[in-house]
Amino acid sequence: MNNTWGDMAQYDPVTWNWVIAVYLFMAGLSAGSILIGIGLRWYSKEKAMESAILKAAAIISPLAISLGLACLVFDLTKPFDFWLILVNYNFSSVMSIGVLALLLYSPIGIAYSLIVLRDELAKWKLGFLVPVAEALMPMRKAIEVVLFVLAIGVGAYTGFLISAMNAYPLLNTAVLPALFLVSGLSAGAAANAIGALLMFNTHCHDTNLSKMHGLELPVMLSEIMFLFMLFCALYFKGGAAAAALASLTTGVWASVFWVGVVGIGFAIPLLTMLMPSQTRHSKGVMIAVACCSLTGVLALRHFVIYAGQSYIS
C-alpha cells in the first residue's frame, strides 16, 4: 500500500452493502405477505375460517420483519445504541418516519398473528398465549385495518428510504417506492404459497391459493412496467442519470439483473404459464416458481443497492 495515497478501500462508492439489501428484501417480503393474506381474507366469503394463506402470512410477516430489523441493527456502527433512534424523531427525515412506522407495525403484526394462529398455538406448545389471542379477538377488525395501512407504508418506505439519496441518479427516482411495494407483493405471495403448501399442507387447487396464483401475472407485469419507467426516466434525464444505464450492460450487476431479475424472476414464472394447467398447478412446480420469484426480488434489491451506488451524479 502506498501510504501517500492511502488505502484504496476508502474510495469504494458502496456505503450500503448486502446487509441493507437483505433488510430491504425482508421488509418488503413482510409487508407483501400480510397485505396478500389480509386482502384475500377480505375478498373471501369464508371470513370465519383462517385460510392456510393467512396462517402462512401470520408466520412469515413478523419473522421476516424481525430478521430484517436484526440485519439493520447489526449493520449500525454502534448496534447496542439502536434504541436511541426509537426515542429521537425528526419528522423531516424519511428514515425517522420509517422507524416510527416499523415501531407500530412490528407489535401490531405480532398481535394479529396471535389472533390468526390461535388454534395452532396449543399444538406448538404455546398454549399460554391463547388467552392473549382471545382477548385480542374483539379488536380484530381494527387491528386488521391498521396493520394493512401500516404494511403499505412499510412496503413503500423501503423505496422512499433509498430514493432520498440525491447523489445517486439510479436511486433518486420517484418510481422506486412503487417498484419496491409491488415487488414486495410478489415476494409475499411467493412466500405465502410455500408456507401454505409445506407448513399447512393445503391442496394445490385450494380456492385462496388459486386466487393468489391469479395475482402473479398482473403483479409481475406491474414490476416490469415500473422497471421500464425507471430506466426511461434515467434515459430522458440525460447526463449522469443516462450514464447510470451502463449498469444494465457492464459489470457483475448487469449479470445479476439479466440473470437473477429477468431470467429467474420473470422469465421462468412466465414460461411456466405455458404449461398444461394440471402440471402448472402441481405442488412441485408451484414451489419452484415461488422460489424463482423470491430469488428475482432478492436479486432486484441487490442490483438497485449496488448498481445504484456505483454511479454518482
Side-chain angles (χ1 to χ4, degrees), residues 91-170:
F91 291 104
S92 64
S93 165
V94 175
M95 182 175 289
S96 193
I97 294 172
V99 167
L100 180 59
L102 287 168
L103 187 61
L104 296 172
Y105 172 78
S106 300
I108 292 175
I110 292 172
Y112 187 67
S113 294
L114 291 177
I115 292 172
V116 173
L117 299 169
R118 62 192 181 280
D119 294 333
E120 310 291 332
L121 294 173
K123 302 176 189 176
W124 299 337
K125 303 187 185 302
L126 296 172
F128 63 92
L129 292 173
V130 173
V132 179
E134 295 295 341
L136 291 169
M137 276 298 290
M139 297 180 284
R140 174 171 187 157
K141 185 62 178 178
I143 291 173
E144 210 166 52
V145 171
V146 171
L147 182 60
F148 191 87
V149 173
L150 286 171
I152 293 174
V154 168
Y157 152 71
T158 56
F160 279 116
L161 180 64
I162 59 175
S163 68
M165 300 174 73
N166 297 328
Y168 303 98
L170 198 153

Side-chain angles (χ1 to χ4, degrees), residues 157-204:
Y157 152 71
T158 56
F160 279 116
L161 180 64
I162 59 175
S163 68
M165 300 174 73
N166 297 328
Y168 303 98
L170 198 153
L171 301 180
N172 186 221
T173 169
V175 179
L176 272 185
L179 174 62
F180 274 28
L181 177 59
V182 173
S183 61
L185 288 173
S186 178
N192 286 352
I194 294 172
L197 288 167
L198 295 182
M199 297 177 65
F200 297 101
N201 296 315
T202 189
H203 195 273
C204 292

